[in-house]
C-alpha cells in the first residue's frame, strides 16, 4: 500500500482536534499505477427478492413483465460496465431451458433460496439480453455447476454464442433471435464452497476443469472463464483452486460482504445504528485491502505474469433486512454510511489494479447495497448510487500514485484511518481527486501537493455529506442526500487545500 501514516501525525492527532492539523496528500502526476478498469464498477442482478421482478422489470397493464424505463434511464446515466446474472446462489439452481420459448409454456418453479417464492421464468435469457442491450452493458453469465450437468452448461453457452448451424443455435432462432449474443464473461458456478454445492476446493477444481473444457470458442467469441473464488479470507480455497486449475482460469471470483454484526446472530441495522455501528462498519470495510493483498500474493505464486484476474464478484454492506419486508428478499435501506463504505472500497480496488480487474457491488435494485430502490411506480437513487456517480470520472483513467497521511478516527479507545483517497488523470489531462473523511465528528484540512504539476484552479467540486450519520433517501423525499456543489477547495501558492467536512466524500476536478 502506498498509504503513509507517519507517527508524528498519529501523535499530533491525539494532541489536537483533527480540524486544526492539516493532513498531507502528495500525488505524483508523473507516474501511473495503472488504468482504473471500468469493470471495477460492475453490477449484479440476481433472481432474488425484488431485484428482477418489481426491480428491473414491472408488470404492464396486461400482466406482462416489461423493463422499467425509469430504472434503466437512471442506470444508464450512471453507466453500467457489466451486469452479472442470474445469480448468486440462484445460478446453481437455474435451468436455462426453463426461461426460453413462449412465456405460457415456461414452467413455474420454486425459488428455494430466496423466500420460497414462485419463479415463473418470465425473465430468461432473451429478456436479460434485451436489458443488456438497453443498458449498453456487457453481460456476465453464471452457469450452473452445483445442480446442472456439463451438457446443460455447454448447451447454454452454445445457445447464446453459436453463430452458425448447431442444435442450440437452431433453437435460439426458433425463439426469435438470429444472431448470437457473443457473451464472453462466463462464471463456472457460484460460491461452490457454499450454496453452489458445498464443495471442497480440491473437488471444485476438478469439476471446474471439466465444465470449463466444454466452453468452446465460437466465431470470435472466446470464453473468459471465471472460477468460484474464496469466501473472504479463505486463502486455502485460492491456493488449491489456483494450483490445480489456474492454467484454465481467466478470473477467480472472491466474495466478501461487510457487516456491522455477525452472520449468525444479528447482522446489524441499516438505519438505526449509533456511532459504534458506524465505527465498526467503517473498520470492517477497510479489511478488503488485506484480503486483496493476501489473495493476490497467493495468485502471484501460481501466476507471476498476473494473467488471471482477481474479481470481487460480490461486495457491499449486508444489514438486517427492513422490518416488514418479505423474508428472504434482502431489502435494506442505504444511508450516508453505506455511501462512504462504497467510496472506501473503490479506493481500495484502485490500490490493487495490477491484479483486481473487475468487481460487482451486490446488488443493483432493491437487494442489499442497492443503487436504486423501488416502491410501486416510485423509485429513488440511494446514497451509494451517488458515490458511484461521483467516481465515474475515475473509470478508464490512469490512477496516480499518492501518499496520504490518513490520520486517525478514534472511538472508545480504538482507532482506524480517517481518510481515504483516489487520484487519477483522464485522457484529456484532467486530474480528479476523491477524498473520503469517515470521521463523523471532525472535519479535516487536507493539503494536496501535486508532484510534477502546479495546481492552478479547481474546476469543480462535488460533496456528499449530511448532518446525521444515517441520512438516507425515502420515496417521499428521494433527494434528501444527493451530491452538492463543493466550494471548500482552493489553490493557495500552488498548493491545493481542501476542507473536508466530517463524514463526507468530495470529488474535485483540477
Ligand atoms: O447477494 C446475495 C447472495 O450472497 C448471493 O446469492 C450469494 O452468491 C451470496 O452469498
Amino acid at each position: 500500500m502506498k498509504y503513509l501514516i507517519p507517527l508524528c501525525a498519529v501523535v499530533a492527532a491525539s494532541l489536537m482536534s483533527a480540524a486544526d492539523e492539516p493532513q498531507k496528500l502528495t500525488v505524483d502526476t508523473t507516474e501511473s499505477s495503472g488504468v482504473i478498469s471500468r469493470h471495477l464498477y460492475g453490477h449484479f442482478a440476481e433472481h432474488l427478492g425484488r431485484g428482477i421482478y418489481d426491480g428491473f422489470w414491472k408488470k404492464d397493464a396486461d400482466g406482462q413483465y416489461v423493463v422499467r424505463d425509469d430504472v434503466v434511464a437512471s442506470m444508464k446515466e450512471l453507466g453500467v460496465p457489466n451486469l452479472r446474472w442470474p445469480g448468486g446462489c440462484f445460478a446453481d439452481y437455474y435451468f436455462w431451458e426453463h426461461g426460453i420459448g413462449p412465456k405460457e409454456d415456461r414452467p413455474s418453479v420454486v425459488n428455494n433460496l430466496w423466500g420460497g417464492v414462485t419463479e415463473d421464468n418470465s425473465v430468461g435469457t432473451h429478456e436479460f439480453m434485451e436489458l443488456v442491450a438497453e443498458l449498453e452493458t456487457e453481460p456476465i453469465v453464471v452457469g450452473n455447476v452445483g445442480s446442472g450437468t456439463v451438457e446443460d452448461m455447454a448447451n447454454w453457452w452454445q445457445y447464446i454464442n453459436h453463430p452458425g448451424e448447431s442444435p442450440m443455435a437452431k433453437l435460439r432462432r426458433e425463439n426469435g433471435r438470429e444472431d448470437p449474443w457473443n457473451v464472453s464473461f462466463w462464471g463456472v458456478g457460484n460460491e461452490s464452497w457454499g450454496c453452489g454445492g458445498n464443495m471442497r476446493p480440491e473437488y471444485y477444481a476438478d469439476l471446474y476443469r471439466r465444465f470449463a473444457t466444454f466452453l468452446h470458442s465460437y466465431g470470435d467469441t472466446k470464453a473468459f472463464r471465471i472460477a468460484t473464488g474464496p469466501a473472504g479470507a479463505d486463502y486455502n480455497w485460492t491456493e488449491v483452486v489456483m494450483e490445480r486449475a489456474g492454467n484454465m482460469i481467466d478470473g477467480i471470483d472472491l466474495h466478501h460482504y461487510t457487516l456491522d454484526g455477525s452472520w449468525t446472530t444479528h447482522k446489524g441495522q441499516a438505519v438505526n445504528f449509533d456511532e459504534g455501528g458506524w465505527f465498526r462498519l467503517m473498520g470492517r470495510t477497510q479489511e478488503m485491502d488485506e484480503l486483496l493483498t493476501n489473495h493476490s500474493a497467493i495468485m502471484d505464486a501460481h501466476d507471476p505474469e498476473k494473467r488471471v484476474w482477481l474479481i470481487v464478484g460480490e461486495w457491499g454492506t449486508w444489514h438486517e433486512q427492513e422490518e416488514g419486508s418479505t423474508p428472504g428478499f434482502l431489502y435494506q435501506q442505504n444511508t450516508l454510511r453505506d455511501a462512504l463504505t462504497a467510496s472506501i472500497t473503490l479506493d481500495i480496488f484502485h490500490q490493487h489494479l495490477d491484479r483486481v480487474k473487475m468487481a460487482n457491488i451486490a446488488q443493483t435494485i432493491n437487494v442489499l447495497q442497492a443503487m436504486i430502490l423501488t416502491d410501486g411506480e416510485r423509485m429513488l437513487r440511494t446514497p451509494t448510487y451517488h458515490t458511484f456517480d461521483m467516481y465515474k470520472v475515475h473509470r478508464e483513467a490512469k490512477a496516480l500514485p499518492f501518499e496520504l497521511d490518513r490520520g486517525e478516527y478514534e472511538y472508545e479507545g480504538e482507532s482506524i484511518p480517517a481518510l481515504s483517497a483516489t487520484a487519477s488523470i483522464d485522457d484529456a489531462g484532467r486530474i480528479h481527486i476523491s477524498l473520503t473523511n469517515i470521521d463523523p465528528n471532525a472535519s479535516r484540512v487536507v493539503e494536496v501537493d501535486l508532484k510534477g504539476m502546479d495546481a492552478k484552479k479547481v474546476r469543480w467540486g462535488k460533496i456528499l455529506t449530511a448532518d446525521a450519520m444515517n441520512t438516507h433517501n425515502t420515496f417521499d423525499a428521494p433527494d434528501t442526500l444527493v451530491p452538492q456543489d463543493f466550494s471548500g477547495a482552493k489553490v493557495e501558492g500552488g498548493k491545493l487545500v481542501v476542507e473536508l467536512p466530517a463524514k463526507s466524500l468530495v470529488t474535485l476536478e483540477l
Side-chain angles (χ1 to χ4, degrees), residues 44 46 48 84 87-90 114 190-191 193 195 255 257 314 318 330 362-363 367-368:
F44 174 28
E46 178 169 10
L48 190 181
R84 183 171 180 261
C89 293
F90 185 78
W114 305 118
N190 169 79
E191 297 195 353
W193 37 261
C195 61
H255 289 183
Y257 287 95
E314 290 183 28
W318 192 317
L330 310 186
Q363 296 191 5
V367 177
L368 298 175

Side-chain angles (χ1 to χ4, degrees), residues 174-232:
E174 283 165 12
N175 288 327
R177 170 78 187 192
E178 175 62 33
D179 296 328
W181 286 286
N182 303 328
V183 173
S184 179
F185 293 124
W186 196 273
V188 181
N190 169 79
E191 297 195 353
S192 307
W193 37 261
C195 61
N198 283 307
M199 302 175 205
R200 295 175 305 119
E202 292 80 2
Y203 181 71
Y204 173 72
D206 283 348
L207 217 50
Y208 172 88
R209 297 177 70 92
R210 186 160 165 243
F211 275 74
T213 299
F214 298 94
L215 300 174
H216 300 294
S217 296
Y218 291 137
D220 292 335
T221 307
K222 184 174 184 294
F224 185 96
R225 296 166 301 183
I226 301 172
T228 283

Side-chain angles (χ1 to χ4, degrees), residues 43-46 51 56 71 75 80 83-84 361-367 369-373:
H43 294 279
F44 174 28
E46 178 169 10
F56 269 119
V71 164
M75 290 307 295
V80 181
L83 187 61
R84 183 171 180 261
I361 187 166
Q363 296 191 5
T364 319
I365 327 270
N366 293 329
V367 177
Q369 192 174 355
M371 300 290 129
I372 286 176
L373 301 177

Side-chain angles (χ1 to χ4, degrees), residues 393-423:
V393 290
H394 297 301
R395 294 185 202 171
E396 298 296 319
K398 283 193 201 123
L400 298 173
F402 61 82
E403 291 188 340
L404 173 65
D405 162 10
R406 301 183 68 186
E408 301 274 301
Y409 158 39
E410 292 186 13
Y411 175 74
E412 293 195 343
E414 289 182 66
S415 72
I416 52 178
L419 299 186
S420 172
T422 286

